[in-house]
Amino acid sequence: GLREPERDTLKARSKPPFAMASGKTQEELEVQIKSLHSQLEKLGVNSSGQKDIFGRSFDLPVDAEHKATAFAVKLFRLPVQPHMYAFWAATFGFFCTFFAVFAPAALLTWIKEDESEGGLGLTPDELSSAGAAAVGTTVAMRFLAGPLCDKFGARKSAALPSSSPSLLRGLLSLRAPLVSPNRPFLRPLPPPSAFPPLASLPPRLNPTPSLTHAASARRRTMGILLFTALPGLVVLATAQNANAFIAGRALIGLSLASFVTCQVWCSQMFTKSIVGTVNATAGGWGNLGGGVTLLVMPQIMVGFLKVTDQDTAWRLCMIVPAAMIILATLLVTKGRDLPDGNYKELEMSGAKQKGNGSLVFLIAACNINTIPLMICYATCFGVELTMNNKAVLYFYEYYDLSKSLAGVLGACFGLMNLFARSWGGLLSDWTMKKFGIRGRVWSLFVVQVFQGFMCLTLGLLTVNMPGPVRMERGQASKYPASVFESIYSVTPEVTFHCYGGYEGPLFGGDGDFCKPKFDKKDPWKFSPSGEIAGARPGENQNGIYGAYKHTVEFKGGSETTTYVVKTKAAWIPPCASKNIDNPGTGHAFSADGTDLGVKKIPTDAEKIVVGDVWNPDCVRNTDGALGKTMAVIIFFSIGVQMAEGLTYGVVPYVSRPALGAVAGMVGAGGNLGAVIGSKVIIANANYDQGFVYLGMVILIASLSLGLVYFKGEDGGGMFLKPGALGKFDPQLWMPKGEEMRGADQMDYSSVAIPGEANKPKASTAEEAEA
């Protein structure tokens, strides 16, 4: 029965003060506040003050599962727990394993040399076996790493300060997170007064003794995998023969399974809408270690060579990756398994379901989408590992390059990880927003086809040119007869006689090339006399002495002098190159072939590159060949890295309960592809021919993505619309009984809250709100 003026006055008084001042209704203000929160969260600000179940504030905005909805990379700020710390710890850990695994590959140009020169005298077959071992041993480890992540978590747990009673009491006394409107069953934790002293809790709810025991006894997956590299580095640094070298690389290779933990950890910390970008960035910057090690390790080797001999220098180089591994392990152990805490404490609280490693592996294996993604990853990540093993040797043996420069150019393939894999993740997330999961799969297919064509092109650039592993029919006509008669007392026709049949560069048959007869282990193996003085071409072999070419530019022209180095170290196959100690003198010839006698080589460099300077058609002597090769390799690498990022943009959608197992199986496919690539497809020094075969394999394997299919309204496949297969489920088998949850799926309604039964009831609205 209030009058209208009184009613208006009462309404005005019921408005919040700011609403009265602004003239807006409470509903309008709430909309504005919600919009402001949304804008701030896009900038990576946790403006709503969301907290984990122990009351610790998140640095980033999170969704209902406490996964970060923003990805904020701040290079000049220490990472904050839990999301960005997990990202940086996982990324740096994986970076260090990549650095360690391919550190020996960066030094192969020194390690493979004869024992008398400070190396181990490795043959091409032994080099191939070592490369395959480095990436092959981790296949089984990656299969194992996935279920371990689901069971124990993606990081290492040690006896850390976080298990101390005082800190846990502090954590338990913090306020709880706000209830998410998307998860109405979530219950807020009571205020600090509702909690009894920690010592009074029953054993099940007092985490201190259990956590301390578990932390000191259990090693989280990533920490274990990182530490496995150390024994291998020790074996490698003390190796005295090929078998020990191969064993060392095999042991170091086990640590590459840390990629699985890297991807799983990031997937458990970031929401699905950005997980493609996060996984791609973490994986790409981790893979970057392969490029950095090829770039940095040769320079470290050069530095050690200034203070010690070659045999000692490459062994001392192993200290660098070992120190990095130790640092990364320490950083990983400081992180959290999940946004709300570590596995053990979350299982004890009731929020997390206990994992079953063997069961999640079966779930992953019974999903038909796992196999095509394994094949796809074998032909992108497997290709990257293959290139990391082969690139430096390819540039060194095919082109007129020093060892250190070959390392720099070989590193370019891996250095594209700085941005290319992130591009793949961004493309995956963008196509997901535009076209759903089918967009992720289609974009992966297109990029796979692109990188396949780039690999094919890389091989076709030089495969029809004479190189270190093939001589051309009629090659003798390209060499000056007077020089060969003066040096070897035989004509070029004798020197380049083909001891086998001619065949094509790719598929055999009656082609234009034959394989030179040459033994790298013992350069003068085919000499009848067995003496240095008696070794020369024509005696059942095709070796020649490498030459150093020196050109002097002057006004109006130039003058070129060629210095033939007649030493065992300079004995090479036709069209080959080699980096040797500067002998000081060489047999000099002018540009027209005039014999100038023995002259001083006009350089003070300690090392010089000698090679077959006579044949203009050799790969090393062809104008523009190196530039074209580098251009193609850059585009090839970008395609490879993008495909890797795109693959792990799809992986989190395959099976939520078996996320780690699926990630592990797909990752294992990558290493299996590297074994096949290193040991079968590019098994010897015929690199460009191998690139052609590898490109064909990539293109054919890309077709397997047509088999990927997801059920549901948002599913489908490359050629199938959502629901096209009706009730068909790509998950062919799931265990019956209790519902399987993923390792990162929390049930906050089951959280055991001590003292809630004795909590006093609120007597006023204000107390209830508090």
Side-chain angles (χ1 to χ4, degrees):
L2 295 174
R3 298 176 184 177
E4 187 171 342
E6 293 174 335
R7 190 181 301 113
D8 292 341
T9 301
L10 184 60
K11 284 183 178 179
R13 289 177 178 176
S14 65
K15 288 183 178 181
F18 184 77
M20 296 175 64
S22 64
K24 297 182 179 180
T25 66
Q26 184 172 346
E27 290 76 13
E28 290 174 333
L29 287 175
E30 288 177 350
V31 170
Q32 286 188 345
I33 292 172
K34 186 176 181 180
S35 175
L36 179 60
H37 278 308
S38 177
Q39 294 299 319
L40 290 172
E41 288 176 357
K42 288 180 180 179
L43 297 174
V45 179
N46 180 16
S47 59
S48 58
Q50 294 160 302
K51 301 178 181 180
D52 65 20
I53 64 172
F54 296 110
R56 296 168 291 198
S57 295
F58 293 119
D59 184 59
L60 297 178
V62 298
D63 61 12
E65 295 183 329
H66 293 172
K67 293 187 177 184
T69 58
F71 180 44
V73 177
K74 299 176 182 178
L75 298 178
F76 302 104
R77 177 190 173 188
L78 291 176
V80 180
Q81 295 276 18
H83 304 97
M84 291 310 299
Y85 188 96
F87 167 79
W88 282 113
T91 301
F92 183 67
F94 185 42
F95 176 92
C96 291
T97 60
F98 236 82
F99 190 98
V101 169
F102 293 102
L107 304 177
L108 282 181
T109 52
W110 285 280
I111 300 174
K112 75 184 186 73
E113 290 186 347
D114 190 71
E115 294 179 21
S116 62
E117 299 175 9
L120 295 177
L122 303 175
T123 66
D125 286 341
E126 289 167 345
L127 290 171
S128 178
S129 296
V135 297
T137 52
T138 195
V139 173
M141 185 62 79
R142 286 196 173 194
F143 274 110
L144 182 62
L148 285 176
C149 285
D150 289 320
K151 176 69 176 177
F152 299 120
R155 59 150 209 105
K156 177 183 177 181
S157 179
L160 302 177
S162 60
S163 62
S164 65
S166 59
L167 185 53
L168 277 177
R169 184 179 290 110
L171 295 178
L172 289 174
S173 67
L174 294 174
R175 288 183 175 272
L178 300 174
V179 178
S180 168
N182 299 323
R183 295 283 291 274
F185 62 88
L186 297 181
R187 292 185 295 172
L189 292 176
S193 59
F195 288 92
L198 192 61
S200 67
L201 297 181
R204 179 182 175 275
L205 296 178
N206 183 353
T208 304
S210 300
L211 283 180
T212 302
H213 173 73
S216 60
R218 181 171 293 161
R219 300 288 177 176
R220 297 290 183 188
T221 313
M222 191 168 197
I224 296 174
L225 297 176
L226 284 170
F227 228 70
T228 56
L230 291 180
L233 289 168
V234 173
V235 171
L236 196 66
T238 57
Q240 298 298 323
N241 52 51
N243 290 335
F245 178 77
I246 294 171
R249 293 211 67 187
L251 286 172
I252 302 173
L254 293 172
S255 65
L256 271 184
S258 62
F259 166 75
V260 177
T261 62
C262 170
Q263 299 293 278
V264 171
W265 204 359
C266 290
S267 296
Q268 292 174 338
M269 287 289 180
F270 294 87
T271 194
K272 278 190 173 182
S273 62
I274 60 172
V275 74
T277 301
V278 177
N279 275 346
T281 304
W285 289 356
N287 285 1
L288 185 63
V292 172
T293 194
L294 296 180
L295 180 66
V296 172
M297 289 302 287
Q299 311 310 317
I300 295 174
M301 177 69 181
V302 171
F304 276 124
L305 283 173
K306 293 179 179 179
V307 295
T308 187
D309 61 273
Q310 181 169 310
D311 182 60
T312 305
W314 67 263
R315 300 176 192 277
L316 290 176
C317 287
M318 298 303 113
I319 295 174
V320 177
M324 293 174 63
I325 289 292
I326 293 172
L327 176 60
T329 305
L330 294 175
L331 291 175
V332 166
T333 60
K334 298 290 185 179
R336 293 187 208 165
D337 292 332
L338 297 172
D340 286 296
N342 295 328
Y343 274 27
K344 185 65 178 181
E345 58 185 340
L346 293 174
E347 289 171 356
M348 291 176 62
S349 72
K352 182 185 177 301
Q353 189 180 61
K354 289 189 176 182
N356 186 325
S358 58
L359 193 60
V360 296
F361 180 81
L362 289 175
I363 294 173
C366 291
N367 193 301
I368 63 171
N369 291 329
T370 304
I371 302 302
L373 290 174
M374 285 180 65
I375 296 172
C376 177
Y377 206 59
T379 52
C380 55
F381 185 65
V383 169
E384 180 181 2
L385 297 183
T386 300
M387 291 300 294
N388 283 344
N389 274 325
K390 304 290 185 178
V392 175
L393 289 176
Y394 166 63
F395 281 114
Y396 176 64
E397 295 181 7
Y398 271 60
Y399 293 95
D400 183 16
L401 301 172
S402 66
K403 293 175 182 178
S404 57
L405 184 54
V408 171
L409 296 186
C412 291
F413 193 92
L415 291 176
M416 296 303 104
N417 274 296
L418 185 62
F419 57 87
R421 186 157 180 160
S422 295
W423 285 0
L426 289 167
L427 177 60
S428 184
D429 288 341
W430 181 82
T431 53
M432 179 68 185
K433 292 177 182 178
K434 293 288 185 180
F435 310 106
I437 191 65
R438 298 178 69 201
R440 289 192 189 265
V441 180
W442 262 109
S443 56
L444 172 57
F445 173 76
V446 170
V447 173
Q448 274 284 93
V449 171
F450 169 76
Q451 64 120 336
F453 275 116
M454 288 295 99
C455 185
L456 193 65
T457 302
L458 177 63
L460 291 175
L461 281 176
T462 58
V463 75
N464 287 303
M465 300 179 186
V469 294
R470 55 182 175 267
M471 294 192 309
E472 191 177 20
R473 190 192 297 270
Q475 186 162 318
S477 62
K478 309 292 176 64
Y479 295 83
S482 59
V483 172
F484 273 66
E485 290 174 358
S486 176
I487 296 294
Y488 308 111
S489 301
V490 293
T491 63
E493 285 73 20
V494 175
T495 303
F496 300 103
H497 171 73
C498 183
Y499 292 95
Y502 285 94
E503 58 183 26
L506 293 175
F507 303 106
D510 188 20
D512 295 324
F513 296 95
C514 71
K515 183 178 180 180
K517 190 173 182 180
F518 187 87
D519 190 279
K520 288 189 176 181
K521 186 99 174 174
D522 182 4
W524 281 318
K525 175 180 179 181
F526 303 110
S527 175
S529 63
E531 299 175 0
I532 294 178
R536 65 177 186 268
E539 296 179 335
N540 300 313
Q541 61 180 322
N542 297 117
I544 61 173
Y545 290 118
Y548 176 82
K549 183 179 285 189
H550 180 72
T551 300
V552 177
E553 302 284 348
F554 52 86
K555 188 175 181 179
S558 62
E559 183 179 33
T560 298
T561 305
T562 301
Y563 300 84
V564 178
V565 180
K566 299 174 65 175
T567 65
K568 184 176 181 179
W571 191 252
I572 59 172
C575 287
S577 300
K578 191 175 181 182
N579 200 192
I580 66 170
D581 291 328
N582 187 348
T585 61
H587 199 137
F589 293 88
S590 64
D592 61 3
T594 302
D595 190 340
L596 303 177
V598 176
K599 298 286 185 179
K600 185 181 185 301
I601 297 177
T603 177
D604 294 328
E606 295 183 2
K607 297 279 188 177
I608 61 172
V609 178
V610 297
D612 183 347
V613 302
W614 312 106
N615 187 351
D617 294 338
C618 291
V619 175
R620 73 184 301 279
N621 300 328
T622 302
D623 291 338
L626 181 58
K628 293 175 184 177
T629 296
M630 283 305 303
V632 173
I633 274 188
I634 294 301
F635 285 106
F636 177 27
S637 177
I638 290 173
V640 168
Q641 323 303 346
M642 287 186 67
E644 293 169 8
L646 285 156
T647 302
Y648 272 82
V650 178
V651 164
Y653 293 83
V654 175
S655 175
R656 183 68 181 274
L659 171 62
V662 173
M665 292 179 69
V666 174
N671 281 81
L672 184 60
V675 174
I676 296 171
S678 298
K679 194 62 180 171
V680 179
I681 301 176
I682 313 179
N684 51 40
N686 202 351
Y687 300 114
D688 43 10
Q689 179 172 299
F691 296 149
V692 173
Y693 293 149
L694 185 59
M696 294 177 179
V697 170
I698 294 170
L699 292 173
I700 294 171
S702 300
L703 299 176
S704 66
L705 290 171
L707 301 175
V708 174
Y709 178 81
F710 293 90
K711 70 173 184 177
E713 296 180 357
D714 299 325
M718 282 178 57
F719 307 107
L720 296 172
K721 294 182 179 180
L725 299 182
K727 295 183 179 180
F728 173 75
D729 190 344
Q731 187 64 59
L732 303 179
W733 176 83
M734 278 288 286
K736 297 180 180 180
E738 183 181 359
E739 181 184 359
M740 286 287 297
R741 301 203 308 265
D744 58 341
Q745 285 180 287
M746 300 294 104
D747 182 4
Y748 298 116
S749 65
S750 300
V751 175
I753 305 177
E756 188 171 82
N758 300 321
K759 177 183 176 182
K761 294 183 179 180
S763 58
T764 65
E766 289 78 7
E767 290 180 4
E769 184 177 357

